[in-house]
Amino acid sequence: MSTHAPGHDDGPHTSSGPPPGGRYDALVIGGGIIGLVTAWRAAQRGLRTALVDPAPGGGAAWVAAGMLAAVTELHYGEQTLLRLNMASARRYPDFVAELEEAGGQDVGHRASGTLAVAFDADDRAHLRELHTFQQGLGLESEWLTGRECRRLEPMLSPGVHGGLRVAGDHQVDPRRLTAALLTACERAGVAFHRHRAERLLLDGDRATGVELTGGTRLAAERTVLAAGSLSGRLAGVPEDVLPPVRPVKGQVVRLSVPERYAPFLSRTVRAVVRGGPVYLVPRENGELVIGATSEELGWDTTVTAGGVYELLRDAHEVVPGITELPLVETSAGLRPGSPDNAPMLGPTALPGLLLATGHFRNGVLLTPITGDVMAEALTSGELPPEAQPFSPQRFAAPPVAPSPGAPGAAQSPAQEQYT
């Protein structure tokens, strides 16, 4: 959920100078978590890399809860995305270890698992269906009775009617993760241009860099558009390769757990309350994150009384004790949604332009694999097999066939049969 990039213009306007030879190998537009991991991995591959963002380190991850929920976040029809999510989840432990060393700070990775619970009989039936779906795909999840759920998490309401324990769905603190990536990029030699990207530069049929606020131009062999929900608004991008991303608003509430109440929850708790989802994510630092609404309201990032009320109401149904906790923050941001809820990764039909956007609900989860995929695409020009279903070119309009009877429109027997 992002409130800026590439069009938000604040923070110090500092730039590193141009690289030797005046041209970068890789230029990343967007300094959120996806842009940062792309720049870091590119620099590790030896590419002269720059990142353009007026305030790197913000974006969707600043608002996100950080659930690494490949199994409990599964939706019907998203089996292809599930494979990518699971592959990224498997990379997380090694990714965290490497990043904490490179970034010099803990990123709040917790492997305590997730408990998904149902509040009433209808919600229980829905969760049972989801469990059957998960089992059919070979996923590990364990059905528990309401009593067994409360044995694991004593703060749960007596009204909880059952749940799923998913040991493999973990969490990370996205704010710490972003800060570590920012430091890792700096240490790897990424050049930061703290300005707004105004326009993609073209030379004939090839992307050649970007123009910044104030008219400065940066040349690059390859440019990566990784600006979250705003990726589709960069001027100069040809219409046929403009990424079809849209903003999906999410509101989040943060509470703090006083020491006298700790441990309040020992793992992430997801719930379905009267058909609506809510999650509670406990951090090691005593923070409890509650989210998130999903609202198709364009570019609005207003925190509303109604949104906060719904989150607290549903969370209270599941964990009544939250009303005793101090409220410390409310926030709203914009997820980058795509037509099929899956990311766009790799080269576009425009030579020199790549995409890393459209991650929607899974940006934090997909951070490790996105960095690896984009580094491979930047160095070899090819997508690894696991990322090929997520090429941006899957949304390209198919060639228009000549009309029947038009010059050159020879019909096959199959065509004749259906005309």
Side-chain angles (χ1 to χ4, degrees), residues 119 266 386:
F119 182 68
S266 61
E386 64 269 21

Side-chain angles (χ1 to χ4, degrees), residues 131-142:
H131 185 223
T132 300
F133 183 47
Q134 292 168 343
Q135 288 184 311
L137 294 172
L139 302 175
E140 294 185 11
S141 65
E142 178 187 3

Side-chain angles (χ1 to χ4, degrees), residues 259-408:
E259 203 157 310
R260 65 182 181 275
Y261 291 133
F264 191 79
L265 293 174
S266 61
R267 75 204 74 215
T268 298
V269 173
R270 301 175 63 102
V272 180
V273 180
R274 290 180 293 272
V278 66
Y279 56 71
L280 301 93
V281 183
R283 301 255 193 262
E284 289 181 338
N285 63 1
E287 181 181 67
L288 180 65
V289 183
I290 301 175
T293 66
S294 186
E295 307 166 62
E296 302 274 358
L297 293 173
W299 303 101
D300 173 59
T301 55
T302 305
V303 176
T304 65
V308 172
Y309 166 74
E310 290 174 8
L311 290 174
L312 293 176
R313 178 199 64 196
D314 291 350
H316 173 262
E317 296 275 23
V318 180
V319 183
I322 66 161
T323 55
E324 303 296 321
L325 305 180
L327 173 64
V328 296
E329 183 183 323
T330 59
S331 55
L334 302 173
R335 308 174 185 90
S338 72
D340 59 4
N341 297 335
M344 288 161 269
L345 302 173
T348 68
L350 177 68
L353 179 66
L354 299 86
L355 298 183
T357 189
H359 291 70
F360 195 34
R361 303 183 307 267
N362 298 299
V364 178
L365 171 60
L366 289 174
T367 296
I369 203 165
T370 295
D372 294 342
V373 165
M374 295 308 298
E376 181 63 27
L378 284 165
T379 52
S380 73
E382 301 293 330
L383 281 177
E386 64 269 21
Q388 288 175 5
F390 307 98
S391 165
Q393 300 185 54
R394 72 186 186 275
F395 295 122
V400 178
S403 301

Side-chain angles (χ1 to χ4, degrees), residues 239-261:
E239 187 69 28
D240 59 338
V241 296
L242 201 65
V245 291
R246 71 189 192 283
V248 182
K249 179 181 176 180
Q251 300 188 52
V252 172
V253 172
R254 283 177 163 81
L255 311 178
S256 66
V257 179
E259 203 157 310
R260 65 182 181 275
Y261 291 133

Side-chain angles (χ1 to χ4, degrees), residues 64-80:
M67 293 179 296
L68 309 178
V71 177
T72 51
E73 188 74 16
L74 175 63
H75 287 64
Y76 295 102
E78 295 185 358
Q79 289 89 320
T80 302

Side-chain angles (χ1 to χ4, degrees), residues 11-371:
H13 287 236
T14 58
S15 298
S16 303
R23 188 179 184 89
Y24 291 106
D25 298 318
L27 175 64
V28 180
I29 301 173
I33 195 170
I34 296 300
L36 288 170
V37 76
T38 298
W40 180 43
R41 290 306 197 195
Q44 287 182 314
R45 294 285 188 103
L47 301 181
R48 293 180 298 181
T49 304
L51 185 142
V52 174
D53 192 297
W62 192 254
V63 181
M67 293 179 296
L68 309 178
V71 177
T72 51
E73 188 74 16
L74 175 63
H75 287 64
Y76 295 102
E78 295 185 358
Q79 289 89 320
T80 302
L81 177 58
L82 170 68
R83 287 192 286 274
L84 189 72
N85 287 344
M86 293 295 290
S88 195
R90 288 191 292 270
R91 298 182 191 201
Y92 239 99
D94 290 342
F95 172 74
V96 164
E98 181 184 0
L99 179 59
E100 288 183 339
E101 181 175 355
Q105 53 194 295
D106 182 89
V107 300
H109 182 243
R110 297 185 66 185
S112 49
T114 296
L115 182 65
V117 301
F119 182 68
D120 61 22
D122 289 340
D123 298 330
R124 183 177 184 275
H126 170 76
L127 204 56
R128 274 288 198 185
E129 290 178 6
L130 179 60
H131 185 223
T132 300
F133 183 47
Q134 292 168 343
Q135 288 184 311
L137 294 172
L139 302 175
E140 294 185 11
S141 65
E142 178 187 3
W143 179 261
L144 302 178
T145 66
R147 179 174 296 179
E148 289 170 329
C149 290
R150 286 185 290 276
R151 190 174 298 132
L152 289 177
E153 297 293 345
M155 297 300 292
L156 289 174
S157 164
V160 167
H161 277 62
L164 295 175
R165 178 168 59 180
V166 181
D169 276 5
H170 302 157
Q171 64 150 294
V172 70
D173 186 332
R175 294 182 177 181
R176 294 186 187 181
L177 186 70
T178 302
L181 279 169
L182 194 58
T183 301
C185 282
E186 292 169 346
R187 293 178 176 178
V190 174
F192 284 85
H193 296 268
R194 288 175 167 83
H195 298 261
R196 186 176 65 185
E198 290 283 358
R199 176 178 298 275
L200 183 71
L201 299 177
L202 302 175
D203 182 5
D205 63 350
R206 183 175 184 85
T208 57
V210 68
E211 181 178 328
L212 308 180
T213 302
T216 300
R217 294 188 167 200
L218 303 176
E221 184 67 26
R222 292 185 177 87
T223 300
V224 180
L225 184 49
S229 59
L230 283 160
S231 296
R233 302 185 82 184
L234 181 65
V237 181
E239 187 69 28
D240 59 338
V241 296
L242 201 65
V245 291
R246 71 189 192 283
V248 182
K249 179 181 176 180
Q251 300 188 52
V252 172
V253 172
R254 283 177 163 81
L255 311 178
S256 66
V257 179
E259 203 157 310
R260 65 182 181 275
Y261 291 133
F264 191 79
L265 293 174
S266 61
R267 75 204 74 215
T268 298
V269 173
R270 301 175 63 102
V272 180
V273 180
R274 290 180 293 272
V278 66
Y279 56 71
L280 301 93
V281 183
R283 301 255 193 262
E284 289 181 338
N285 63 1
E287 181 181 67
L288 180 65
V289 183
I290 301 175
T293 66
S294 186
E295 307 166 62
E296 302 274 358
L297 293 173
W299 303 101
D300 173 59
T301 55
T302 305
V303 176
T304 65
V308 172
Y309 166 74
E310 290 174 8
L311 290 174
L312 293 176
R313 178 199 64 196
D314 291 350
H316 173 262
E317 296 275 23
V318 180
V319 183
I322 66 161
T323 55
E324 303 296 321
L325 305 180
L327 173 64
V328 296
E329 183 183 323
T330 59
S331 55
L334 302 173
R335 308 174 185 90
S338 72
D340 59 4
N341 297 335
M344 288 161 269
L345 302 173
T348 68
L350 177 68
L353 179 66
L354 299 86
L355 298 183
T357 189
H359 291 70
F360 195 34
R361 303 183 307 267
N362 298 299
V364 178
L365 171 60
L366 289 174
T367 296
I369 203 165
T370 295

